[in-house]
Amino acid sequence: MSRQYFDKLDLTILNALCENARTPYLEIARDYGVSGAAVHQRVQRLLANNVIIGSHCDVDPTTIGFNVVAYLGICARPGSDINKLVDEIAKIKEITECHIVTGRYDLIVKLNARSNSDILEIIQERMRPLEIVSTETMVSFREAFKRPLPVENE
C-alpha cells in the first residue's frame, strides 16, 4: 500500500486512538470541534482503507502469571518451508509475536513464560520437533518503553 496523507482531523483521530483505542468518538469530536458522526465516518473510512487495522486490549502479562519475557532468534533447517515453520510456531500459545527477518536468524519470536523453566520446556519439548537447527534466547529484564508510531504528514 502506498504512503497516505491525512488532514488535521484524520491526524487527530489517529493519534487519539493510538494513545488510547477506547477514546470515545464524541470526546475526539469535542476536542476538534466537529460532530461525533463526522469522527465516526472518518474512522470507518480509515478502517476501510486499512489505515486502522484493528484495536486491542493490553493485559499486563504478570497479572496472569507470565513473569518472564524472552526473545528467541531461530535458525530454520536449510531447505525447510519457513511458512510451515511459522504455522507450527503459531500453535505455541506463549509465543505472542513472530517476525521473519534477515541476517543471522530466520525468525525472531517473543515468548511470554511463567518462569525460566517454562522457557526451557517450550524450547526443549515443544520446539525441538520443528524444523529448527538452533535458537538463541535473550531474556528481557524489563520493557524500557513501548509506544505507537507518530502519525504525521511529512
Side-chain angles (χ1 to χ4, degrees):
M1 177 173 242
S2 62
R3 171 82 163 90
Q4 295 195 28
Y5 292 89
F6 309 103
D7 66 15
K8 288 181 182 181
L9 180 56
D10 289 333
L11 291 172
T12 298
I13 291 167
L14 289 170
N15 284 305
L17 294 176
C18 283
E19 183 69 29
N20 179 359
R22 294 180 59 189
T23 304
Y25 294 170
L26 285 176
E27 184 178 319
I28 298 169
R30 267 194 306 274
D31 291 348
Y32 197 72
V34 297
S35 70
V39 172
H40 178 77
Q41 288 173 344
R42 291 293 183 103
V43 169
Q44 294 307 308
R45 190 192 76 213
L46 292 165
L47 284 163
N49 290 331
N50 292 319
V51 174
I52 298 173
I53 55 174
S55 60
H56 65 278
C57 172
D58 284 334
V59 174
D60 179 349
T62 62
T63 64
I64 56 173
F66 290 87
N67 298 306
V68 184
V69 175
Y71 294 87
L72 278 65
I74 298 173
C75 294
R77 182 166 284 121
S80 63
D81 182 341
I82 199 76
N83 293 317
K84 184 178 176 185
L85 178 57
V86 168
D87 290 343
E88 291 301 312
I89 286 173
K91 294 175 184 175
I92 301 170
K93 66 178 174 137
E94 294 89 349
I95 295 178
T96 58
E97 292 183 32
C98 178
H99 301 269
I100 299 170
V101 297
T102 63
R104 181 172 165 179
Y105 306 109
D106 296 302
L107 302 171
I108 294 179
V109 301
K110 181 178 181 181
L111 175 106
N112 289 272
R114 296 183 187 284
S115 66
N116 287 342
S117 60
D118 281 349
I119 294 172
L120 185 61
E121 184 273 328
I122 290 165
I123 293 169
Q124 289 187 340
E125 302 300 324
R126 294 195 259 162
M127 294 179 78
R128 182 169 284 160
L130 305 180
E131 295 286 316
I132 294 173
V133 171
S134 66
T135 63
E136 181 177 348
T137 305
M138 295 150 275
V139 174
S140 171
F141 293 124
R142 68 179 170 89
E143 184 176 273
F145 69 88
K146 181 180 177 179
R147 63 177 169 216
L149 286 170
V151 182
E152 53 192 29
N153 291 323
E154 296 171 345

